[in-house]
Amino acid sequence: MENTSSEIEWQNLPYDRWTECHVSSWLRCIGIKENHIVKLAEEEVTGPVITTLQREFLSNTIGMKGGQIEHLLKKRDDLLKSKPNKVKKESDLSEKSKDDIKKELLLPEQEPNPSTQKPCERAERENTTTECSDHSTSTGMTSSFCNYQTFDQREQHYRYVKHDVLPPETGIENMIVPCHEYKSLENAHKLDSKRLQTKLASEVLRFTCACMNMRTNGTIHFGIMDKIRGKHRHGEIIGIPICNREDFVDALDYIEKCFKGSSQQSDARKCIRNPRFIEVIDKETTEKTWVIEYDVVPKASTVKDKLYYVGLPKFSEKDKKVKCEEKVPYHRVGAKTPRIHDDDFFNFIKGLTEKDQQREEAESSSNQTAVDFKEDQKRKLSILLTCGKTHMDNSLFYIIVRNKFHPEHLDSIGFLVNMNLFCVFDFDPDSKTSGLCARYKEHKPATPRFLDDYAMKTADFINSLQLFERTSWIFCNGRNNFPGGDQTCDEKTWIKTRKKKLKKAVSVICNEILPRHSFVVLFLLMSDVEQPLVETFHEFYAEMNGNDFLAVVSESKENYKKWSSLAQVSCDMSTLKEISIVEMPLSHVDATVQSIQLSKNQSTRTLPVLNGGRCFLKSVEEALLDSLEIISVDQCDDTKLEIMSKDEIEQIESYFCQGGKIDWINFWLADKHKCGDIIKRDAYQEAYKILDNIAQHTKVIRPIESVNIYHQPGSGGSTVARQILWSWRTNVRCAVVKQCKEITTVCDHAVRLREHDERDQNNCLPVLLLLEDRNADYIDDLRQELGNVIATKKICQSVVCFILLICNRSNDPGKMCRASSFQTVAVTHELTPAEKPLFTKKLEQLKQHIHPDFILTFVLMSEEFSKSYIKGFVKNLFDNIDHSSLLTRLIRFVALLNCYVEDSYISVSHCEASLGIATIVDRAKYHAFSDIAMDLINDKVLINHRFNRDEFLKFIRALFIKRNKKSRGDSKDTAFSPLIEHVSKNIGDVQKAVDLLKAAYLALGKDAYVAQQLAQLLYTKLRFEEALEWAEEAKFLLPYDTFVLDTLGQVYKRWFYHLYDTLEEKEPSPERGTEIIHIALKGISAFRASEKTPKKETVSLNSSYYGEVDVCCRLLKFLSGVDVFSNNTGKSELMQYLLTDYIPAEVKKPWQMFHQQLKGLQKSLGHALECISEDLSYFQTDISEEDEELDARDPEQVYNPREWLTRKSAVYAGFFCIIPDESVQAAESNSTDVAGPAKKLSAFQRQMKTYKLSGGNVTSILSLLYDKDPQRAGKKLETIISMYPENMTWNDLDQTELANFIFCQIALNCTLPGSSKLLSLEKLQELSKRFITKGKNMSSASALFLLSLLFWPETSGELSSAGSRILLSAIDALQRIYEQKIKHVSPRKSRIVTHFFLAKAKGLNKIVHRIAIEKQIKGTLSERKLQWLGGEVWKNREVVQLLKRVEGWTENGNLIVKGGTTDSKIRVFPRYSASLPNGNENVTFYLGFSFDGVVASDIQIME
């Protein structure tokens, strides 16, 4: 619907001068399909080429079908016959409508923005010369052409627009069509009353006399320019201010003084109409101005056989009186009104009889009832709402702007209910209580909003307001019966206070939310029009760059007249008429629109129920479950198949075969045999069988089951998943979980869907939920949330409630399938023998009506994505492509993103913006992705384009930051994004990779994380000075981000490693080591600075502790190699230097800046190891995908931190095992006998030796329990325990050592229960009483954890009051410490490790480590994880026999057990899928021990 120059000019040019754009416009006019038009333009089909087009060319090259070819050739032949190849005459051009003239005379200010035009349009525009000076006004504004008010009628709401231009003054045409004369009065209006009346009378009476003598109708206009003056144009509306209207009426009183005789005076009174005062609208000022018009109607019965004379009044400045000139006759000569000269008088008198006859005939002809042309309003309405399509579907959004409806209108809103409504701008304050909003919400939900909601735009603006989930109902002038928001106000107040808000809302919707040409704005004028409604039209007209995709419906002609008179400020009357439906009752509009809507207006859909029947799901109820796309039994049955053409059905099928996501309509049409069958791959049968086994299983294993589909991109995995839902929609309740939905919301909606219209929650059909491309975190959290609901609602555990159909992309589906074969299906590019003939047959069918190039995805699948086929296809494509075109450039950008960023895309809006750039791209046959990436991030239009910008920049950011991970199905882990890896490694151009990241840093608005990546890339390439600069830059931008600060430490760490590894001397001197030590200590300081920052929400432990440990260990190794400390006695001297005040003379001066830091190495290293141990004792070790992209730690630190900690602890201990006061022989002896006699060990020696044997911290001790050889682990634990002599006073141990000793005792009992080194439970309880549970000196979390383990009673009544107090105090302290710790940790990272469980046995045997339970669980890692999450582990026979069920009760939403004394209570937290039952119940459960207190699993209500 674009009004481009080519669409206008092709009609006025000979066809041999048509460009490709002219041809395209002509093709659109005759109804050729758009895809063929584009192809013809690409083939450079111009006007001369049209004349020689052959059928074979259209069929083979363009791909047109027979019907389109016949139609085109017929219209071409008609064109050649009917349109001679010559330029139109001037007379032809003069017959154009004023609107056509306006469009052709393009003013400088009207020149379209180059960025919004197609290249061919721009080129044509540049070659078109236009005159500019005559089209601009005094204010520099552009002017439009307009028409007169209807002659001899008074239209109440008619207005003129200032600076619009009326047609030129005219002479006589046919007596009835009025002639027109203009007078500006731009100075005369300032005259006093007497002079002004005289001036008016002179002009009006002269013009009237001429019209009466010529027997023609006429109008004289005041306030219109009658000549070109300055920048004013002839016919330009300027308007004049009016002080006194009576002056314009009283001016007619001169008739009696000026006309000749009473008869002529009477006739003049009959012919002259009273003045019309027409308001002139001026947006630039509030001053009111007017145009004054006098119509003259000389009826034949009045003027026949008469000649009229008038003496014009003139004001004599000399006498200060009005005098009348000589009475003479006047006539019209063209557009002028001269007197009849004596020479012409006789001929004029002679011609009067003929004029009288012509007047009578003209009046007689005009009095006959004219047959009004009745436009086809149904067709017009259809075109306006569908933009030319045959029916209305969901391809367009609709925005409604409306004022108050009358009650009868509310019965005719069915068409609105079935529209794809995006929002409604409602000016009816009562709409929510008794108007359209209330009636609409009976059918569909809508979210009430105010204009302010669109003013404060946040990063997550669209999702937070749920703009695409349900219709937004925007109350533009307040809302009655609602205390919040703006109140209703009058027009003037609205303009002052809310017009800006409306402007902002319209701008945001048009420029940042909805793409251009994706929506239609419909104005419904059902009551008196007020200015705010018109202002809304002005804003949409401006933001949408014209009247395209705008429509107006008005039942009342009067309302429309008022509307159009106000709206013409933005849009001229003729254009308004083109987009308006007037005097069509809303009931007719309703019926008309419903007749073209593809879907019937159904208020309900059907779902299956357990008894085999069906139940209804109302549209309002369904819309409230907006996190789910529900697939009903009667899905798509509301489609009106009768209005779908064969071409449209073929287009739906071809879209899918071209690689588009399959839609439910595809399955529905296939079932109706209206399109080809959809191939069911073997994976579909496998998934169906797994699902059938779950659904038909008599003894359910778990209430939440899952089926996994892993698929290679493009292999059809998503289609398989949807085929499953389509096939099962009659047996279970099916839904797709929408993206970006909160887990709690999805869970709530899934439960409501399951229980909808069912009486017994234990007897409902399961819900089959499709989750596409979701990470494991999301799925686990959803499973746990659903499990909590099941437990809370006391639903039987043997009932399948939910089945998760998990469909994820993977580069190695086979590997994922092998990891969990019983519930996983793989979909690959490779076709099975049974699938190959199906694809071959389908491809042949498609080729009959679709060219293979247009169904490339299906062809590739048929070829099993053969590399040779792809290579050949791409080569042919590149040989036949214009590499310099903007389109090819855009294709390269899409290819780059698709290659490196999964699920990325470039929006249509961005594509349009890019194609509008008048930039010449250098021709090149092949473009490296690095060059394309550089072009992309330097493309200012794409980067800065406002619409969908956040999503686009997210893809760009992922292109430079997101790494490959095996855990996501990638072939390998990468240190950088695949693009940067490719450029820096495969191409070997590190500098190009650096340049790319620098450009991305700027393009993304100085992104700190890109700077961080750049620093990491530079330090891996040993460019440390540059890396340091970029790390500092990232720190400047995000000074409190732990990942960014950690990167600064990593730069120094890698720099230190490099200096150390490239050191030539094996035993460097202290002076030679100064620089290395300086860099190492800088790294340690950077890591410590990171450790002290407020913790980032997504991390549990600051990863910089790991960096500090690495640098400290390596630095100690370096120090021991310095020549001063490398001899036989050197290590002892080094220990003295590090652990005492002693400073060797050789290092005193060279290292004078480092002494203090070096002497603190041992303590800081021990502290860092202890912090890491504590964190690992609390939390599970998994890491979120977001953190993976930013974490610079080594893979072992990320994925196997416990093993890394054990190894580093041994390194730390190994270094400090030899202390200053021991001899070399003792050192050698101890090195061969790690344990050594306990009596010879000091406290420090014991700590170091236990560290070396994995006994120095809790995590290392508990890691021994995972040793596959329990005997080996037990022997090591016995060795550690033997470090503590039996005759030692226990008070000599500090609390850390004591805690480690007791942990070793518990661990030893788990590995070697009969060991002689074991102490009794009572002995350990006695020892642990040293731990402090309150106050400033409170013991560590590990010590408090031991108290909860040791003092938990074997039976509820066995604990003494003292023991009870210790237990309660320890658990309370644990919970308080945990609450403080959890403040900085995300819910995902806060998953606590449960280390031990309470068993049925006595003594120390009551404490069972989780490894004893895990040994009883069979299956792969993912299957075992499922059994923990699903609670199946608690039904394992060996586990049931091993563990003790504890009795407790629920109270006010808490789980409580007795604390050992009558009054004491202990709160227990639920764990895994178990949740507290509603109400107060007696329960039993398994008790676990973790660092956040005691936890409960498998909570069951006691019968």
Side-chain angles (χ1 to χ4, degrees), residues 715-745:
S715 63
S718 182
T719 301
V720 170
R722 279 167 162 70
Q723 281 176 312
I724 290 291
L725 262 65
W726 185 259
S727 300
W728 279 84
R729 75 189 192 284
T730 58
N731 302 323
V732 298
R733 297 186 176 179
C734 300
V736 180
V737 177
K738 295 178 183 177
Q739 297 289 339
C740 304
K741 292 297 178 182
E742 290 289 336
I743 288 172
T744 52
T745 304

Short mmCIF file of all heavy atoms in Angstrom, two decimals, residues 715-745:
data_model
loop_
_atom_site.label_atom_id
_atom_site.label_comp_id
_atom_site.label_asym_id
_atom_site.label_seq_id
_atom_site.Cartn_x
_atom_site.Cartn_y
_atom_site.Cartn_z
N SER A 715 17.19 -31.51 11.55
CA SER A 715 16.86 -32.92 11.32
C SER A 715 15.39 -33.23 11.56
O SER A 715 14.93 -34.33 11.30
CB SER A 715 17.73 -33.82 12.21
OG SER A 715 17.44 -33.55 13.58
N GLY A 716 14.64 -32.27 12.09
CA GLY A 716 13.22 -32.49 12.29
C GLY A 716 12.84 -32.93 13.68
O GLY A 716 11.75 -33.47 13.89
N GLY A 717 13.69 -32.68 14.67
CA GLY A 717 13.38 -33.08 16.04
C GLY A 717 12.18 -32.34 16.59
O GLY A 717 11.33 -32.93 17.28
N SER A 718 12.09 -31.06 16.29
CA SER A 718 10.95 -30.28 16.75
C SER A 718 9.66 -30.78 16.13
O SER A 718 8.60 -30.80 16.78
CB SER A 718 11.16 -28.79 16.41
OG SER A 718 10.10 -28.01 16.87
N THR A 719 9.74 -31.21 14.87
CA THR A 719 8.56 -31.77 14.20
C THR A 719 8.13 -33.07 14.86
O THR A 719 6.94 -33.31 15.08
CB THR A 719 8.87 -32.01 12.72
OG1 THR A 719 9.24 -30.76 12.11
CG2 THR A 719 7.66 -32.57 12.00
N VAL A 720 9.10 -33.91 15.21
CA VAL A 720 8.78 -35.18 15.89
C VAL A 720 8.06 -34.89 17.20
O VAL A 720 7.05 -35.53 17.53
CB VAL A 720 10.07 -35.99 16.13
CG1 VAL A 720 9.79 -37.18 17.05
CG2 VAL A 720 10.66 -36.47 14.81
N ALA A 721 8.57 -33.92 17.97
CA ALA A 721 7.96 -33.59 19.26
C ALA A 721 6.52 -33.13 19.08
O ALA A 721 5.61 -33.54 19.82
CB ALA A 721 8.78 -32.51 19.96
N ARG A 722 6.28 -32.30 18.07
CA ARG A 722 4.92 -31.81 17.84
C ARG A 722 4.01 -32.89 17.27
O ARG A 722 2.81 -32.89 17.53
CB ARG A 722 4.97 -30.58 16.93
CG ARG A 722 5.31 -29.32 17.71
CD ARG A 722 5.66 -28.14 16.82
NE ARG A 722 5.56 -26.89 17.56
CZ ARG A 722 6.37 -26.51 18.51
NH1 ARG A 722 7.39 -27.30 18.85
NH2 ARG A 722 6.21 -25.35 19.15
N GLN A 723 4.59 -33.79 16.50
CA GLN A 723 3.79 -34.94 16.04
C GLN A 723 3.30 -35.76 17.23
O GLN A 723 2.16 -36.25 17.22
CB GLN A 723 4.63 -35.82 15.10
CG GLN A 723 4.73 -35.27 13.68
CD GLN A 723 5.63 -36.12 12.82
OE1 GLN A 723 6.75 -36.45 13.23
NE2 GLN A 723 5.18 -36.47 11.65
N ILE A 724 4.16 -35.91 18.22
CA ILE A 724 3.77 -36.66 19.42
C ILE A 724 2.59 -35.97 20.10
O ILE A 724 1.59 -36.60 20.45
CB ILE A 724 4.97 -36.76 20.39
CG1 ILE A 724 6.06 -37.69 19.83
CG2 ILE A 724 4.52 -37.24 21.76
CD1 ILE A 724 5.67 -39.14 19.77
N LEU A 725 2.69 -34.65 20.29
CA LEU A 725 1.59 -33.92 20.93
C LEU A 725 0.31 -34.02 20.12
O LEU A 725 -0.78 -34.20 20.69
CB LEU A 725 1.98 -32.45 21.12
CG LEU A 725 2.51 -32.08 22.52
CD1 LEU A 725 3.83 -32.78 22.81
CD2 LEU A 725 2.69 -30.56 22.64
N TRP A 726 0.43 -33.91 18.81
CA TRP A 726 -0.76 -33.98 17.96
C TRP A 726 -1.43 -35.36 18.07
O TRP A 726 -2.66 -35.46 18.16
CB TRP A 726 -0.38 -33.68 16.51
CG TRP A 726 -1.57 -33.60 15.59
CD1 TRP A 726 -2.00 -34.56 14.73
CD2 TRP A 726 -2.48 -32.51 15.46
NE1 TRP A 726 -3.12 -34.14 14.06
CE2 TRP A 726 -3.44 -32.88 14.49
CE3 TRP A 726 -2.58 -31.26 16.05
CZ2 TRP A 726 -4.49 -32.04 14.10
CZ3 TRP A 726 -3.62 -30.43 15.67
CH2 TRP A 726 -4.56 -30.81 14.72
N SER A 727 -0.62 -36.39 18.10
CA SER A 727 -1.17 -37.76 18.16
C SER A 727 -1.78 -38.06 19.52
O SER A 727 -2.75 -38.83 19.62
CB SER A 727 -0.07 -38.78 17.86
OG SER A 727 0.47 -38.57 16.58
N TRP A 728 -1.24 -37.44 20.57
CA TRP A 728 -1.68 -37.77 21.93
C TRP A 728 -2.72 -36.79 22.49
O TRP A 728 -3.16 -36.95 23.62
CB TRP A 728 -0.46 -37.79 22.88
CG TRP A 728 0.28 -39.09 22.79
CD1 TRP A 728 1.22 -39.44 21.90
CD2 TRP A 728 0.12 -40.22 23.66
NE1 TRP A 728 1.67 -40.71 22.12
CE2 TRP A 728 1.01 -41.23 23.21
CE3 TRP A 728 -0.67 -40.50 24.77
CZ2 TRP A 728 1.12 -42.46 23.83
CZ3 TRP A 728 -0.55 -41.74 25.39
CH2 TRP A 728 0.32 -42.70 24.92
N ARG A 729 -3.10 -35.78 21.69
CA ARG A 729 -3.99 -34.75 22.24
C ARG A 729 -5.37 -35.27 22.63
O ARG A 729 -6.07 -34.64 23.42
CB ARG A 729 -4.13 -33.60 21.24
CG ARG A 729 -5.01 -33.89 20.04
CD ARG A 729 -4.92 -32.78 19.00
NE ARG A 729 -5.94 -32.88 17.99
CZ ARG A 729 -5.93 -33.74 16.98
NH1 ARG A 729 -4.92 -34.59 16.85
NH2 ARG A 729 -6.93 -33.75 16.10
N THR A 730 -5.76 -36.44 22.08
CA THR A 730 -7.06 -37.01 22.45
C THR A 730 -6.97 -37.94 23.66
O THR A 730 -8.00 -38.32 24.22
CB THR A 730 -7.66 -37.78 21.27
OG1 THR A 730 -6.75 -38.81 20.87
CG2 THR A 730 -7.92 -36.85 20.08
N ASN A 731 -5.73 -38.30 24.05
CA ASN A 731 -5.55 -39.26 25.14
C ASN A 731 -5.08 -38.61 26.44
O ASN A 731 -5.42 -39.08 27.53
CB ASN A 731 -4.52 -40.33 24.73
CG ASN A 731 -4.94 -41.07 23.48
OD1 ASN A 731 -6.12 -41.34 23.28
ND2 ASN A 731 -3.99 -41.38 22.61
N VAL A 732 -4.27 -37.57 26.32
CA VAL A 732 -3.80 -36.83 27.49
C VAL A 732 -3.94 -35.34 27.19
O VAL A 732 -4.24 -34.95 26.07
CB VAL A 732 -2.32 -37.16 27.82
CG1 VAL A 732 -2.14 -38.61 28.17
CG2 VAL A 732 -1.40 -36.77 26.66
N ARG A 733 -3.73 -34.52 28.18
CA ARG A 733 -3.80 -33.08 27.96
C ARG A 733 -2.41 -32.58 27.57
O ARG A 733 -1.44 -32.82 28.29
CB ARG A 733 -4.33 -32.38 29.20
CG ARG A 733 -5.76 -32.82 29.49
CD ARG A 733 -6.42 -32.08 30.62
NE ARG A 733 -7.82 -32.51 30.75
CZ ARG A 733 -8.66 -32.06 31.66
NH1 ARG A 733 -8.26 -31.14 32.53
NH2 ARG A 733 -9.91 -32.50 31.70
N CYS A 734 -2.35 -31.91 26.44
CA CYS A 734 -1.06 -31.55 25.85
C CYS A 734 -0.87 -30.03 25.82
O CYS A 734 -1.82 -29.28 25.59
CB CYS A 734 -0.96 -32.09 24.42
SG CYS A 734 -1.11 -33.89 24.31
N ALA A 735 0.37 -29.62 26.03
CA ALA A 735 0.68 -28.19 25.97
C ALA A 735 2.16 -28.00 25.70
O ALA A 735 2.98 -28.85 26.04
CB ALA A 735 0.29 -27.49 27.28
N VAL A 736 2.47 -26.87 25.08
CA VAL A 736 3.86 -26.45 24.87
C VAL A 736 4.16 -25.36 25.88
O VAL A 736 3.40 -24.40 26.03
CB VAL A 736 4.07 -25.90 23.44
CG1 VAL A 736 5.52 -25.47 23.24
CG2 VAL A 736 3.66 -26.93 22.40
N VAL A 737 5.26 -25.50 26.61
CA VAL A 737 5.67 -24.47 27.57
C VAL A 737 6.33 -23.34 26.79
O VAL A 737 7.32 -23.56 26.08
CB VAL A 737 6.65 -25.04 28.62
CG1 VAL A 737 7.10 -23.93 29.56
CG2 VAL A 737 5.99 -26.16 29.40
N LYS A 738 5.79 -22.14 26.92
CA LYS A 738 6.33 -21.00 26.19
C LYS A 738 7.66 -20.57 26.78
O LYS A 738 7.95 -20.81 27.95
CB LYS A 738 5.33 -19.83 26.25
CG LYS A 738 4.02 -20.11 25.54
CD LYS A 738 3.07 -18.94 25.66
CE LYS A 738 1.72 -19.23 25.02
NZ LYS A 738 0.78 -18.09 25.20
N GLN A 739 8.46 -19.92 25.94
CA GLN A 739 9.77 -19.45 26.38
C GLN A 739 9.63 -18.29 27.36
O GLN A 739 8.62 -17.59 27.39
CB GLN A 739 10.60 -19.01 25.17
CG GLN A 739 10.90 -20.12 24.19
CD GLN A 739 11.90 -21.13 24.70
OE1 GLN A 739 12.66 -20.84 25.62
NE2 GLN A 739 11.92 -22.32 24.13
N CYS A 740 10.67 -18.07 28.16
CA CYS A 740 10.78 -16.91 29.06
C CYS A 740 9.67 -16.87 30.09
O CYS A 740 9.17 -15.80 30.45
CB CYS A 740 10.79 -15.61 28.26
SG CYS A 740 12.08 -15.53 27.03
N LYS A 741 9.22 -18.04 30.56
CA LYS A 741 8.18 -18.06 31.58
C LYS A 741 8.76 -18.55 32.90
O LYS A 741 9.56 -19.50 32.93
CB LYS A 741 7.02 -18.97 31.15
CG LYS A 741 6.23 -18.41 29.97
CD LYS A 741 5.56 -17.10 30.32
CE LYS A 741 4.81 -16.51 29.17
NZ LYS A 741 4.21 -15.21 29.52
N GLU A 742 8.34 -17.90 33.98
CA GLU A 742 8.81 -18.29 35.31
C GLU A 742 8.36 -19.72 35.62
O GLU A 742 7.25 -20.13 35.28
CB GLU A 742 8.24 -17.34 36.36
CG GLU A 742 8.82 -15.94 36.31
CD GLU A 742 10.26 -15.88 36.77
OE1 GLU A 742 10.67 -16.78 37.54
OE2 GLU A 742 10.98 -14.96 36.36
N ILE A 743 9.23 -20.44 36.30
CA ILE A 743 8.94 -21.85 36.62
C ILE A 743 7.70 -21.96 37.50
O ILE A 743 6.86 -22.85 37.28
CB ILE A 743 10.17 -22.49 37.29
CG1 ILE A 743 11.27 -22.68 36.24
CG2 ILE A 743 9.81 -23.82 37.94
CD1 ILE A 743 12.58 -23.12 36.80
N THR A 744 7.57 -21.08 38.46
CA THR A 744 6.41 -21.15 39.35
C THR A 744 5.11 -20.94 38.57
O THR A 744 4.10 -21.58 38.84
CB THR A 744 6.52 -20.10 40.47
OG1 THR A 744 6.77 -18.82 39.87
CG2 THR A 744 7.65 -20.45 41.42
N THR A 745 5.16 -20.04 37.59
CA THR A 745 3.97 -19.77 36.77
C THR A 745 3.63 -20.98 35.92
O THR A 745 2.47 -21.39 35.82
CB THR A 745 4.22 -18.54 35.87
OG1 THR A 745 4.57 -17.43 36.68
CG2 THR A 745 2.98 -18.22 35.05
#
